[in-house]
Amino acid sequence: MTLGRSADRSLAACLLGTFTLRFSTGLTGALLVYYLAELPRHGGPTVSPFVVGVFGALFYAAELVLSPIFGLLSDRLGHHRVMQYGPVFGAAAVLLTFAFADLRILGGTRLLEGASTAASVPSILGFIAMVTAGDELMRGRASARFEAATLAGLGLGLVCAGLVYRLIGPAGFLLNALIYGGSFLIFRFGVDEAATDPAVAPTADPARAAGAHIGATGWRRYLAILATSHVWLLAPTWIAVNAALGLWTGQSIFQLVRRAPPRFADQSLMGGFGPLQISFGVGVALLVFLAGLAYWGERFKSTRRTTIIFYGIVGGAVLVAAAVVINHGQDLPVLALAPFVILLAAGLFVLAGATPAALGLLADLSEGFPADRGAVMGLYSVFLGVGQIGGNLIGGAAAEWLGIDGLLVATLILLGVALLPLWQLRTFEHQLTPNAGAGPSA
C-alpha cells in the first residue's frame, strides 16, 4: 500500500503532533513531581508517595473514562477535529497547575491532562489504522513510530523537566502552555481533513463511506466491539504490561529525589539524586527503548505479535533481576556492576517490543470494524488507563512498603500476570492477523 501525498503528509503531522503533545505530558508530569516534593515551600502540605500514586491514577482515570467517548466522537465528527481538543485541555491544565498549590485543584489538573490524551489518541490511532489497512509492514512501522513518538515525547519531557525546573522552577508550567499551543497548530494546519476523515474523504470502500452514519449509533456499536471475544483475549496481557510500566512512571522520579527513610539505607537507588542526574539517566533509558521500538517495529512481517510480546515480558524480568543487584550493590566496585547495567539495558531493549506488538494486534482487530476505527483504537487508551491506574496505585503502596525493592517485586508479579493469558491469545492470533503464521519466527 502506498499512501497518497496528502495522507502521507497528514500521517507525518499526526506523529509530530503526538510527539509534541506527549512531550508536554511528560514535562508536566515530571515538573509536578519536583513541585510536589517541595510543595511546603510553595504554601502546600507535605506529600506522601501514595498521594503521588493517586495523582498518577487520576490522569489515567480521566483517559480511561473519556477515551471511548472521544473515540466515538472522532468516528462521527472526524479524526481531524477531535485531535485538536487535546492541546486545549492540556494548556488549561498547566495554567491551573502554575496558579494553585492546593492539592484538590492539582488533582483536577491531572484529570484535565488525562482528557488531553483521551481526546487525541483515539483519533490519531483511528487514522493510522485506516491508512495502513492491508499492509503488514506499513502497519508495523506506523505502530512502532506512534509508540516511538509517544515514548520519545514523554521521555524527552522527563529529561528536560529537570533542567527546566532547575532554571525557572514552577514557571516551567507556563512554558509548557506555549508548547501545547504548538501542538494545536500542528494538528490544525498540518493535517489535511479530507485525507484523514472517512466521513469526508473520497473512497470506494462502502464501509468507510458510511462511517459517519454507523458511528452515530454510538454506544451500541461500542458495546458490540467490546463483546468481541478477541478484545478480552488481548486486554489482560496489555493491562498487566501497562501496569508494570505504570509502577515506574508514577513513582521512580519521586523515589529518586525524595529524602529516603533510614530503613531504606541499604538501597542505593533510594533518594539523593538531583534533577540533572535523573534527566541524564532517563535520557539514556529513552535512547535504549527507542532503539528497541525501531528494531521490533521492523519484525511485524516475520514474527508473530504474541512472540514479540513474550520476548518483551522475558526482557522485563531480566531488567528486574539486574536492577535488584544494582540497587543493593553499593559496596561493589563499578566494574563489577557494569555487566548488570548492560543486562538492564538489554532487558529494556527487548521489553520495548511489547507495546507496538500489542498495538498492532489492536489495529488488526479494527479490520472487523472499518467504520469505527476511532472507537476500536480508543481501546488503546482504555487498556493503558486501566493498567496505569492499577500500576500507579500498586506502585504507591509498594514504594511505601519496600521503596525501590517494592517496585521491583511488584513489577515481576505483574509481568507474570501478563504472561498467563498470552498462550490463549496466541491460539486465536491467526483470526486477527492474516500473516501471523508467516516467517521463520512464527
Side-chain angles (χ1 to χ4, degrees):
M1 173 183 177
T2 302
L3 300 182
R5 267 188 192 175
S6 181
D8 199 9
R9 184 175 62 251
S10 295
L11 176 59
C14 281
L15 293 175
L16 177 60
T18 297
F19 170 78
T20 57
L21 191 66
R22 300 306 270 172
F23 175 87
S24 291
T25 302
L27 184 62
T28 299
L31 287 175
L32 184 62
V33 171
Y34 295 132
Y35 185 53
L36 292 174
E38 56 179 43
L39 195 61
R41 291 174 51 188
H42 301 284
T46 300
V47 178
S48 71
F50 189 73
V51 170
V52 175
V54 169
F55 271 34
L58 287 173
F59 173 93
Y60 290 104
E63 184 176 358
L64 168 65
V65 172
L66 296 176
S67 287
I69 298 172
F70 285 117
L72 291 169
L73 282 175
S74 73
D75 291 324
R76 184 172 184 178
L77 303 179
H79 304 316
H80 181 234
R81 180 182 300 182
V82 176
M83 69 178 65
Q84 296 173 57
Y85 299 166
V88 176
F89 290 133
V94 292
L95 291 174
L96 288 171
T97 303
F98 174 77
F100 298 97
D102 186 290
L103 285 179
R104 291 166 296 182
I105 295 177
L106 293 177
T109 66
R110 300 313 291 154
L111 294 174
L112 275 173
E113 284 276 353
S116 171
T117 302
S120 298
V121 169
S123 53
I124 294 170
L125 287 178
F127 165 63
I128 290 174
M130 181 177 69
V131 299
T132 61
D135 190 324
E136 290 292 302
L137 185 58
M138 178 67 72
R139 175 157 291 173
R141 288 174 176 171
S143 298
R145 287 168 185 170
F146 173 82
E147 287 293 325
T150 298
L151 269 296
L154 287 171
L156 192 58
L158 292 173
V159 170
C160 292
L163 180 60
V164 170
Y165 198 81
R166 185 74 174 268
L167 292 176
I168 60 177
F173 294 115
L174 295 179
L175 174 64
N176 207 7
L178 296 177
I179 301 173
Y180 272 119
S183 299
F184 176 84
L185 294 176
I186 291 170
F187 290 134
R188 178 68 181 84
F189 299 106
V191 178
D192 183 354
E193 182 176 2
T196 61
D197 295 340
V200 298
T203 176
D205 184 345
R208 283 178 58 190
H213 170 69
I214 296 175
T217 61
W219 291 108
R220 284 177 295 173
R221 290 289 299 168
Y222 196 76
L223 291 174
I225 294 168
L226 289 178
T228 304
S229 61
H230 300 141
V231 171
W232 299 110
L233 289 174
L234 176 60
T237 292
W238 203 353
I239 288 171
V241 169
N242 280 313
L245 295 174
L247 290 168
W248 296 93
T249 57
Q251 285 293 330
S252 56
I253 293 179
F254 190 73
Q255 295 303 318
L256 291 169
V257 300
R258 76 172 180 138
R259 181 174 297 176
R263 63 194 179 94
F264 297 141
D266 62 328
Q267 298 185 43
S268 59
L269 298 179
M270 282 293 300
F273 292 89
L276 296 182
Q277 292 172 297
I278 293 172
S279 292
F280 175 78
V282 170
V284 173
L286 176 63
L287 290 175
V288 172
F289 202 89
L290 290 176
L293 284 175
Y295 176 83
W296 292 109
E298 295 292 326
R299 300 298 179 274
F300 269 41
K301 200 166 186 177
S302 61
T303 308
R304 293 176 66 168
R305 315 278 201 264
T306 50
T307 299
I308 297 174
I309 294 173
F310 173 75
Y311 290 161
I313 293 172
V314 173
V318 171
L319 183 155
V320 168
V324 169
V325 175
I326 294 170
N327 193 36
H328 291 275
Q330 58 265 53
D331 296 328
L332 297 175
V334 174
L335 287 179
L337 289 176
F340 296 99
V341 173
I342 294 172
L343 271 179
L344 188 148
L348 184 61
F349 179 89
V350 179
L351 176 62
T355 50
L359 179 56
L361 280 172
L362 190 59
D364 295 335
L365 178 63
S366 75
E367 297 302 324
F369 302 89
D372 298 280
R373 295 188 192 276
V376 175
M377 299 311 290
L379 293 174
Y380 169 91
S381 292
V382 172
F383 296 158
L384 185 145
V386 172
Q388 290 280 347
I389 290 169
N392 274 273
L393 295 178
I394 293 170
E400 290 271 19
W401 173 45
L402 287 177
I404 293 292
D405 278 349
L407 296 180
L408 293 170
V409 170
T411 301
L412 197 59
I413 292 172
L414 287 169
L415 290 174
V417 172
L419 189 61
L420 292 177
L422 191 61
W423 68 270
Q424 191 173 7
L425 177 61
R426 186 176 180 85
T427 302
F428 290 92
E429 184 180 5
H430 68 280
Q431 298 180 31
L432 299 178
T433 312
N435 295 333
S441 300

